[in-house]
Amino acid sequence: MLPEKLAAWSMRHRAVTLACWVALVVVALLSGMLLDGESRRSTDPGESGRAQTALNAQNAFDPLRENVLVEAKEPGSPPFAVNQELRRATDDLVTTLIRAGSATDVRSPLTDTERISADGASGLVGFSIAGGEKDIRPNFETATARVAEVAARHPSVRLSQSGDLSLSTVVDKGIREDVKRSELLSLPLTLVILLIVFGALVAASVPLLLAGTSVAATFGFLSVVDDFTPINSATTVITLLIGMAVGVDYSLFFLRRQREERARGHSIDTATRIAARTSGHVVVVSGVTVVLCVSGLALTGLDNFTGLAISTAFVVGLAVLGSVTVLPALLSLLGDKVDRGRIPWLGKRRTTAEKSRFWSATARVVTRRPALWGGLGAASLILLTLPALGMRLQDPTPAESLPRSMPAIDAAVRTQEAFPGVVYPATVVVTAENGGPADSPALRSAITDLERRIVETSGVLNKPVAVAGVDEAVVVRVPLSGAGRDAESDAALAKLRTETLPETIGEVDGVEFAVSGRTANARDFADRVVERMPLVFGYVLLAALVLLLLAFRSVPVALVSIVLNLLSIGAAYGVLTWIFQDGHFAPLLGFAPYGGVVGWLPMFMFVLLLGLSMDYHIFILSRIRERRAEGAVTAIVRGTGTSAGVVSGAAVIMVGVFSVFITLSAIEYKMMGVGMAIAVLIDATLVRGVLLPAFLALLGERAWRHDRKSVAPGRVPELSSPNA
């Protein structure tokens, strides 16, 4: 087999193998620094994408808008219209911003009654950040500082700033902090788990070293890929944690099998070759499965998903390569030194243990009455899946995603409550059909008509409407009702797109329009995901089925594996819905009930989990297959028992790594962490310990009917003695 040949070559050329790996990592990091050009921008799907493309084609850019909510700190204060302190603070703010030169198009509630809230309690000052693209950041910081200065001069008034750049800044900051937190938590957590699994410092450090270098090399290569395909910050966090999880798991599979063969009396090189032929083969099949499954994300046509598929393929591919080349070379070089740094008692126990009494006993009980235990296990997973039938897909706004303890998020919530839709307005991009300026008297008249019709919608669409010229285009911002990404906002967006705009701006000859904005972006993204979901699911299931058929030459085994994975994923969906949508255990996990599930997460979880969970199935099935000549039931019991240590250790590591997501700030990461951890936990316990033995026992010899590979009882194919 190829893994064995690669391992044998790597052991014979240890220095060359290790030098090549180090060179690969160095080249990746250097290429990331030296060839890192301008990052490619992501393009939204649907109408949002058309609006974005039209704006990008202009020689100017859409001015970034900021809002400052002016309200009294004390409840029960006089309304804005007669509250002299609020009016003085507003006048001071407007004057200060204009004098600073960092803001343009400053709008004041003192001169525009549409900028006084419906309850009359607060006013809204709006402005655009002045200057060209290079001046945006310093001018934003200057304007923010001036707002703070005015707030200090009026201590009884609360000035809450939010807007395009305020929210994007806090989101970027949150992602950067999440990356740091994930790095700080994942590495020591993984090391502690590995110490428990191996009981020796050197043995525990080897998988961590390989996983860390695989992730580092991936980040280097992605800096180059980013010039052609968008790689966003969220992809960086996901790649880091997935890379650590699979990198450590693959090394764990290989290293534990090598130690097991050493305990049986094989030499270091022979034990490593056996590990390469068995566990190395499993690693390769598992890695290819993960890559093929995740590549299904590219079928969505969404460039962010394509970037995630590429980054996952890189990190998983490097983890597989390191496991079948670098790891054998390291093990050959270290020899018995791999067990140095043993932890008293634990180190001795981990070195000599070969099988789990608990899982062997469980498999023995299950195989005696497989129909009963298989039925109970399947019914349990179906019961856990039931809440997912009521799942509502809903993508969060920044105010919903991040904690309100962040000032900009709190400001956005307050502003959205006082002026619905102002924080997340629909952005209407108007361009001329045949090029040239879109602005004209007819268009201005249509925009006036649009504002009149907004009043007639009874709050479905709101004011104030902001109009700006962007080179030859005209951008109109229309506040929508709702929270920005709920059913009310979607209904308002649909009314704007299908009724209000066609009846106003759509009546102007020679112009065309497209609607973007946070609500529109999320709606179009969700529509694309739902549209492509059957294609992605079908591709992933077919790819996994074909790989399982090639690996085990058994239709029943392949089908059972797919069904069991679907059951565990469905159960994870149900738990995810029960916790985040229905609000159970929400305070314990540190978030408020969200009321839905992030729209892209179910498809992402399906693709990734179907690939990752195959690790355990392939590993266990391989051990059972090695012993099938002993009889179907004996092979199941012994194969399950001998694989339990590796699978349990791998599952604990993966659950631990995915649990790091729960500690991150964004609600999307928390959902992903809970969903992935629950799915892996279910797969490594109920599915592995009960359902898989039960289904295989029911199938009996029929499971391997078409697998002609001859395996003697208790022996590894082609490498069965210390002298092999």
Side-chain angles (χ1 to χ4, degrees):
M1 288 186 180
L2 180 61
E4 181 193 359
K5 293 179 180 178
L6 288 173
W9 188 93
S10 299
M11 287 187 292
R12 290 195 304 270
H13 306 88
R14 297 179 306 202
V16 174
T17 301
L18 297 177
C20 288
W21 182 256
V22 172
L24 175 67
V25 176
V26 171
V27 168
L29 295 175
L30 288 177
S31 64
M33 291 186 289
L34 299 177
L35 303 178
D36 186 17
E38 183 177 355
S39 297
R40 187 177 180 87
R41 293 182 178 180
S42 173
T43 301
D44 296 314
E47 186 174 339
S48 297
R50 295 198 303 273
Q52 182 183 2
T53 301
L55 275 179
N56 291 340
Q58 306 303 313
N59 293 321
F61 61 92
D62 184 19
L64 299 176
R65 296 289 300 180
E66 290 288 311
N67 297 296
V68 180
L69 183 69
V70 184
E71 59 182 345
K73 290 183 178 179
E74 293 295 328
S77 298
F80 185 91
V82 297
N83 191 319
Q84 295 305 312
E85 183 57 28
L86 290 183
R87 298 179 72 84
R88 281 193 295 270
T90 302
D91 183 63
D92 187 7
L93 176 62
V94 171
T95 303
T96 301
L97 287 173
I98 293 174
R99 287 177 178 173
S102 57
T104 62
D105 192 23
V106 181
R107 306 292 180 90
S108 169
L110 299 176
T111 56
D112 185 356
T113 57
E114 292 179 355
R115 292 186 169 274
I116 298 177
S117 61
D119 61 4
S122 56
L124 187 70
V125 175
F127 61 92
S128 297
I129 307 297
E133 189 171 356
K134 294 182 179 179
D135 302 322
I136 289 296
R137 176 58 61 178
N139 283 343
F140 166 73
E141 293 174 353
T142 298
T144 302
R146 296 297 176 267
V147 172
E149 291 172 3
V150 174
R153 290 197 292 265
H154 302 272
S156 63
V157 178
R158 178 186 289 112
L159 301 182
S160 305
Q161 180 180 343
S162 63
D164 295 336
L165 200 48
S166 294
L167 290 175
S168 63
T169 298
V170 75
V171 169
D172 291 343
K173 180 182 178 182
I175 290 175
R176 287 195 302 270
E177 292 177 350
D178 283 344
V179 172
K180 292 179 181 178
R181 188 180 299 117
S182 61
E183 291 173 346
L184 292 174
L185 292 177
S186 61
L187 293 176
L189 176 63
T190 304
L191 180 59
V192 169
I193 297 173
L194 285 170
L195 283 173
I196 296 173
V197 170
F198 286 113
L201 183 59
V202 174
S205 301
V206 169
L208 198 62
L209 176 64
L210 282 178
T213 51
S214 297
V215 171
T218 298
F219 284 165
F221 287 130
L222 290 182
S223 296
V224 180
V225 174
D226 188 39
D227 299 343
F228 309 97
T229 301
I231 305 291
N232 60 24
S233 300
T235 297
T236 302
V237 178
I238 295 171
T239 301
L240 168 65
L241 295 181
I242 289 177
M244 291 303 301
V246 300
V248 170
D249 271 12
Y250 293 162
S251 298
L252 178 62
F253 288 164
F254 196 106
L255 187 53
R256 280 296 295 265
R257 183 57 183 259
Q258 193 254 15
R259 298 178 100 205
E260 180 182 324
E261 297 302 329
R262 286 284 290 139
R264 290 176 177 170
H266 292 288
S267 67
I268 292 173
D269 286 354
T270 300
T272 305
R273 287 180 60 202
I274 294 174
R277 171 169 286 279
T278 54
S279 295
H281 176 69
V282 170
V283 165
V284 171
V285 174
S286 299
V288 171
T289 304
V290 173
V291 171
L292 284 179
C293 287
V294 175
S295 66
L297 292 174
L299 297 177
T300 61
L302 299 168
D303 47 18
N304 282 331
F305 273 175
T306 301
L308 181 57
I310 292 173
S311 65
T312 303
F314 260 111
V315 78
V316 172
L318 287 173
V320 171
L321 179 63
S323 297
V324 296
T325 58
V326 181
L327 185 56
L330 278 175
L331 294 179
S332 178
L333 179 65
L334 291 172
D336 291 330
K337 295 177 183 177
V338 74
D339 289 322
R340 284 191 174 180
R342 290 184 184 178
I343 299 174
W345 180 78
L346 184 62
K348 181 178 180 181
R349 186 172 67 87
R350 292 306 185 199
T351 302
T352 57
E354 289 188 14
K355 67 178 181 178
S356 166
R357 294 181 180 179
F358 173 80
W359 288 114
S360 295
T362 301
R364 193 173 296 111
V365 170
V366 168
T367 52
R368 287 173 184 165
R369 304 188 68 180
L372 172 64
W373 291 108
L376 289 175
S380 300
L381 292 183
I382 293 172
L383 185 64
L384 288 175
T385 304
L386 291 179
L389 298 178
M391 180 188 292
R392 294 188 296 272
L393 301 181
Q394 181 174 315
D395 291 320
T397 62
E400 295 169 321
S401 174
L402 298 172
R404 194 167 174 176
S405 57
M406 298 179 175
I409 298 300
D410 180 67
V413 172
R414 291 179 180 277
T415 304
Q416 185 74 5
E417 291 172 350
F419 295 89
V422 166
V423 179
Y424 312 111
T427 302
V428 185
V429 181
V430 185
T431 55
E433 291 180 351
N434 299 320
D439 194 12
S440 67
L443 178 60
R444 288 193 291 270
S445 176
I447 293 174
T448 301
D449 188 29
L450 171 66
E451 292 179 315
R452 180 183 61 80
R453 288 175 180 261
I454 285 174
V455 177
E456 298 173 356
T457 63
S458 302
V460 176
L461 305 176
N462 298 298
K463 287 188 173 184
V465 173
V467 183
V470 182
D471 195 20
E472 295 183 334
V474 174
V475 176
V476 184
R477 297 189 180 211
V478 180
L480 305 173
S481 61
R485 267 307 296 127
D486 54 8
E488 187 178 351
S489 297
D490 282 346
L493 174 67
K495 184 175 182 63
L496 179 68
R497 280 177 163 176
T498 60
E499 297 180 24
T500 311
L501 287 174
E503 294 171 1
T504 54
I505 295 176
E507 295 294 326
V508 180
D509 292 334
V511 301
E512 56 188 8
F513 64 86
V515 182
S516 184
R518 291 189 184 273
T519 303
N521 294 348
R523 180 69 270 158
D524 293 342
F525 189 92
D527 288 345
R528 175 65 65 85
V529 168
V530 172
E531 175 191 342
R532 298 292 178 88
M533 195 175 290
L535 177 63
V536 174
F537 281 18
Y539 165 80
V540 171
L541 288 173
L542 181 61
L545 181 63
V546 170
L547 282 172
L548 286 168
L549 287 173
L550 292 174
F552 295 105
R553 303 178 182 88
S554 171
V555 173
V557 168
L559 292 176
V560 164
S561 298
I562 295 293
V563 169
L564 294 184
N565 276 278
L566 291 177
L567 284 174
S568 64
I569 293 171
Y573 284 172
V575 174
L576 196 66
T577 305
W578 189 72
I579 292 176
F580 287 89
Q581 182 172 299
D582 301 336
H584 300 284
F585 296 132
L588 182 64
L589 295 174
F591 61 88
Y594 175 62
V597 174
V598 175
W600 53 266
L601 189 57
M603 185 176 69
F604 174 79
M605 284 179 56
F606 180 89
V607 169
L608 192 60
L609 285 172
L610 196 67
L612 292 178
S613 59
M614 286 297 175
D615 289 354
Y616 308 142
H617 284 285
I618 293 173
F619 188 79
I620 296 169
L621 287 170
S622 297
R623 299 303 292 263
I624 293 173
R625 184 193 197 189
E626 289 178 16
R627 300 179 177 277
R628 70 183 187 275
E630 301 175 12
V633 173
T634 302
I636 294 169
V637 173
R638 297 190 66 181
T640 302
T642 54
S643 63
V646 169
V647 173
S648 297
V652 169
I653 289 169
M654 197 166 283
V655 169
V657 170
F658 286 136
S659 296
V660 173
F661 279 105
I662 302 174
T663 69
L664 305 184
S665 57
I667 192 71
E668 301 96 310
Y669 292 153
K670 294 181 183 293
M671 285 190 192
M672 186 188 305
V674 170
M676 300 288 282
I678 290 294
V680 172
L681 188 62
I682 290 173
D683 191 76
T685 53
L686 183 57
V687 172
R688 177 203 65 190
V690 178
L691 288 176
L692 184 59
F695 275 71
L696 290 178
L698 288 172
L699 289 172
E701 293 297 335
R702 291 171 296 177
W704 311 105
R705 179 181 300 167
H706 300 291
D707 186 359
R708 302 302 181 188
K709 206 172 210 178
S710 177
V711 181
R715 297 167 75 86
V716 179
E718 298 183 26
L719 284 174
S720 56
S721 70
N723 297 320

